[in-house]
Amino acid sequence: MNTAGHWEATPRRGLELTPFRGLRYDPDRVGSLASVTSPPYDVVVRPDGLHHLQSADPYNIVRLILPQAGTPSARTEQAADTLRRWLDEGVLTADPEPGLYVYEQRHDDGMLQRGIIGTLRVTEPAEGVVLPHEDVMPPVVADRAALMRATRANLEPLLLTYRGDGTAAEVVDRTAHRPPLLATTTEDGFRHRLWSVTDPGELARVQSDLAGRQALIADGHHRWATYRRLRLEHPSPSPWDYGLVLLVDTVRYPLRVRAIHRLLHGLPVADALAAVDGLFRVRHLDKPLAQALETLADAACAGNAFLLAGDGAFHLLDRPDPDLLARTVPADRPPAWRALDATVLHATLLDHVWHIPEDSPAHIAYIHDTAATVEKAERDGSTAVLMHPVREEVVRDLARQGVTMPRKSTSFGPKPASGLVLRALEI
């Protein structure tokens, strides 16, 4: 209590980012740095994506993040053995001194993203330091935890955003004018550059600025939940108190927010449309994909809207029956949550109208690529549900209220490439 008789808030511990000795590929031991990288483990980039990455280079990082042995225990053992072998052979080597890493992604379409990779103190949601905005699936957390236990490593950074425009951002931009540790261009057209920050003064400036900040999980909810689980398993202090992250200041470098689409296995489009008759307005769109998505965007400005595909055409669902929403959407959440397209999709369409369990891979798949979702639906005779993205400020506002969104509601990007810098907990 202060002298005026008012209670003062206890200062909140903010983001605690620490340097580490990064593991990086020796460029003389691999075909190219681009050939050993991968998207994050849970991003499907093409139908034959896993095989394509495995065949790109025998040392591609996908052999660590998605091992392909028969049983779960065999897969984690395979990843641990592979990592040990690559370290013994010098394929992966540790940098000589701890540092934070400035990471840049640039594309010819004008996209420029810069951030800082480091190890972040793992916190619980109640601390209000790192805010999740989506629920997680326990089997996925268990799978990632088994992999991290076996390898004793953080194999890829998750993506966090914060609002700063302060000293840390100045260090990032100042560092990006120096020659990088590495530079490579991946097949998606992104140019990647990485720098190490080891100067004590620069490190102190970054850490001081971040100490008062709050971050939103943009990508990597399951990995953050895994960090939390593993931290609880190991008495503190231990290396498990920290997890590998990329922090991006979206004041300077706004992320792109894209939708994650749904593929409903075994539900033909004709059956999906018949079930919504009288519950939504349905319009047949005789347009190519790009124009159909524009129509979806226009409709989403006025309310809930979805685009169905899979029968060679597109069908716009909008203007849901208000009574239907009142019966099916939980009323114990903020209005912004109740109005989300993902909420209406899961609570109303999946649960009530189509009777599809959201956590069953046999019934539903979550796909980032729009064209791939449509192609898969047409090939399999299934229904693709194309979504319109949610704005970042809506996501952040709900997260600050402690409200989680339905699973796979958003896709923030660009996501960091896996394989540029790793963290071994015992190095």
Side-chain angles (χ1 to χ4, degrees):
M1 184 178 294
N2 63 21
T3 56
H6 300 295
W7 288 104
E8 294 180 330
T10 301
R12 176 173 58 85
R13 294 173 68 183
L15 300 170
E16 297 181 23
L17 194 69
T18 63
F20 70 106
R21 291 180 63 198
L23 288 182
R24 296 189 294 111
Y25 282 98
D26 181 344
D28 294 331
R29 298 297 306 273
V30 299
S32 71
L33 290 176
S35 69
V36 295
T37 65
S38 163
Y41 79 98
D42 59 341
V43 177
V44 179
V45 292
R46 51 197 289 176
D48 62 341
L50 185 61
H51 173 73
H52 172 74
L53 292 166
Q54 288 177 327
S55 60
D57 191 286
Y59 298 116
N60 189 282
I61 190 67
V62 77
R63 298 180 184 275
L64 297 181
I65 62 176
L66 285 174
Q68 293 300 296
T71 66
S73 61
R75 288 195 289 272
T76 57
E77 182 178 345
Q78 180 187 72
D81 289 344
T82 300
L83 179 58
R84 283 193 292 268
R85 186 174 71 254
W86 290 359
L87 289 169
D88 291 342
E89 295 173 356
V91 174
L92 286 169
T93 61
D95 283 331
E97 57 182 319
L100 299 176
Y101 294 83
V102 170
Y103 175 48
E104 176 188 276
Q105 293 166 279
R106 186 187 294 266
H107 198 277
D108 287 342
D109 65 4
M111 184 70 201
L112 172 63
Q113 178 174 288
R114 289 176 181 157
I116 310 173
I117 297 175
T119 59
L120 186 69
R121 182 177 68 91
V122 178
T123 58
E124 294 299 313
E127 296 179 60
V129 177
V130 175
L131 305 176
H133 69 267
E134 289 184 2
D135 292 329
V136 298
M137 293 176 275
V140 178
V141 175
D143 174 75
R144 291 296 99 184
L147 182 64
M148 290 188 202
R149 286 191 204 100
T151 59
R152 298 191 66 79
N154 300 151
L155 301 172
E156 48 185 346
L158 54 88
L159 175 61
L160 305 181
T161 74
Y162 74 101
R163 307 286 291 175
D165 200 21
T167 308
E170 293 171 1
V171 172
V172 166
D173 286 345
R174 189 160 53 244
T175 302
H177 288 91
R178 302 190 336 233
L181 288 175
L182 64 85
T184 190
T185 302
T186 46
E187 63 178 18
D188 57 5
F190 273 95
R191 300 188 295 279
H192 307 262
R193 296 197 296 170
L194 190 77
W195 298 260
S196 179
V197 179
T198 58
D199 177 78
E202 295 282 66
L203 293 174
R205 281 185 277 275
V206 170
Q207 292 172 320
S208 176
D209 183 26
L210 295 178
R213 307 293 185 189
Q214 181 184 62
L216 174 74
I217 301 177
D219 184 69
H221 282 82
H222 289 92
R223 281 168 283 168
W224 184 254
T226 301
Y227 291 168
R228 290 169 47 211
R229 172 182 290 192
L230 295 173
R231 180 180 67 90
L232 294 174
E233 292 177 3
H234 297 83
S236 184
S238 83
W240 299 98
D241 291 342
Y242 295 82
L244 188 64
V245 305
L246 166 64
L247 273 169
V248 173
D249 182 350
T250 53
V251 174
R252 293 206 180 186
Y253 299 103
L255 271 66
R256 289 176 175 166
V257 187
R258 293 188 168 130
I260 302 177
H261 309 297
R262 276 65 169 164
L263 179 66
L264 308 182
H265 301 301
L267 178 66
V269 174
D271 292 351
L273 292 174
V276 300
D277 184 39
L279 302 176
F280 283 72
R281 182 175 70 168
V282 179
R283 285 183 283 166
H284 174 83
L285 304 181
D286 187 16
K287 300 178 178 181
L289 176 58
Q291 293 181 20
L293 290 173
E294 291 176 359
T295 303
L296 172 63
D298 291 340
C301 291
N304 301 120
F306 311 92
L307 200 61
L308 302 193
D311 62 350
F314 296 102
H315 311 271
L316 181 69
L317 273 59
D318 66 353
R319 298 186 184 179
D321 177 9
D323 291 337
L324 172 68
L325 299 184
R327 294 196 312 270
T328 57
V329 176
D332 60 346
R333 303 289 181 90
W337 181 89
R338 301 183 77 244
L340 291 170
D341 286 338
T343 297
V344 173
L345 172 64
H346 285 261
T348 303
L349 285 170
L350 293 182
D351 291 352
H352 183 80
V353 177
W354 293 328
H355 306 292
I356 294 175
E358 65 175 342
D359 57 355
S360 171
H363 294 89
I364 187 169
Y366 299 87
I367 306 176
H368 295 74
D369 186 274
T370 307
T373 310
V374 175
E375 291 168 6
K376 286 175 179 286
E378 292 181 345
R379 185 171 61 247
D380 301 339
S382 301
T383 294
V385 182
L386 306 184
M387 310 283 288
H388 185 67
V390 183
R391 300 191 315 276
E392 180 184 353
E393 54 266 30
V394 173
V395 177
R396 191 178 297 276
D397 287 346
L398 286 172
R400 283 176 174 154
Q401 298 176 57
V403 178
T404 55
M405 300 171 67
R407 293 171 185 162
K408 302 296 183 182
S409 295
T410 58
S411 176
F412 286 88
K415 305 178 191 304
S418 299
L420 296 180
V421 62
L422 295 66
R423 177 207 180 201
L425 273 72
E426 296 169 345
I427 291 181

